[in-house]
Amino acid sequence: MKKLIACVMIITMMCTTAVLGDEITVVENETTVTPYNGGDSNIDLYYDNFSTFDVYMNIKDGVATCLGMITMTENKKSEIELTLQRKGNNGYSQYAQWSKTFSGIGTKSLRKTKAVKKGYTYRLRAVVKVYSGTKVIEANAYYSKEHKY
């Protein structure tokens, strides 16, 4: 009986550790974020050093317009990295990439354009990093909706 109870306790602890481990190690959120927080108003995202993080991508006349924007609430160095990705047989791969660093409080944005080819699906990956000195203290990544062109 003691062995049975011990086994049940060990299995329960392993399951709990696995669940907590998954929650702790989540680094990226693969989600659709529309510009200016136009998403689901029932979901509030919480950040330590910025209040909003917006991702926007559109393709018109063979040109992809890519935008990443944050509103910093703390006087820290931040970085926005945009990666335009193109879908191929093995999934998405980098098509173009840009980054820019900022400092201070307020709205920071990175907007770039890139010519794209017809017959492919594209999406934008945006990463924001906040630094204390040279150490990254907060980082988040989001993806735009897929755009077929």
Side-chain angles (χ1 to χ4, degrees), residues 126-140:
V127 176
V128 62
K129 297 176 188 174
V130 179
Y131 296 86
S132 179
T134 59
K135 181 180 176 185
V136 175
I137 59 171
E138 186 170 12
N140 287 286

Side-chain angles (χ1 to χ4, degrees), residues 71-83:
T71 303
M72 292 293 296
T73 56
E74 298 295 324
N75 189 17
K76 295 192 180 339
K77 177 182 163 187
S78 58
E79 178 182 13
I80 298 174
E81 179 183 282
L82 300 178
T83 305

Side-chain angles (χ1 to χ4, degrees), residues 21-134:
D22 287 344
E23 291 176 358
I24 291 169
T25 57
V26 172
V27 176
E28 287 189 3
N29 302 308
E30 184 160 342
T31 186
T32 300
V33 177
T34 54
Y36 310 109
N37 288 332
D40 187 344
S41 61
N42 294 321
I43 299 174
D44 291 328
L45 302 175
Y46 178 77
Y47 309 107
D48 290 329
N49 297 286
F50 53 96
S51 60
T52 61
F53 179 19
D54 298 314
V55 179
Y56 173 79
M57 181 200 162
N58 190 35
I59 298 175
K60 183 176 180 183
D61 299 326
V63 177
T65 300
C66 307
L67 173 69
M69 184 167 42
I70 58 172
T71 303
M72 292 293 296
T73 56
E74 298 295 324
N75 189 17
K76 295 192 180 339
K77 177 182 163 187
S78 58
E79 178 182 13
I80 298 174
E81 179 183 282
L82 300 178
T83 305
L84 180 60
Q85 298 178 326
R86 184 169 75 181
K87 193 173 190 177
N89 293 336
N90 297 322
Y92 279 96
S93 61
Q94 179 179 316
Y95 189 71
Q97 188 173 49
W98 312 273
S99 66
K100 187 173 181 181
T101 57
F102 307 91
S103 61
I105 296 172
T107 301
K108 317 296 181 191
S109 65
L110 176 58
R111 181 185 181 276
K112 293 292 183 177
T113 58
K114 176 73 175 172
V116 294
K117 297 179 181 178
K118 282 191 173 189
Y120 292 95
T121 300
Y122 298 87
R123 73 178 180 185
L124 180 65
R125 179 180 190 260
V127 176
V128 62
K129 297 176 188 174
V130 179
Y131 296 86
S132 179
T134 59

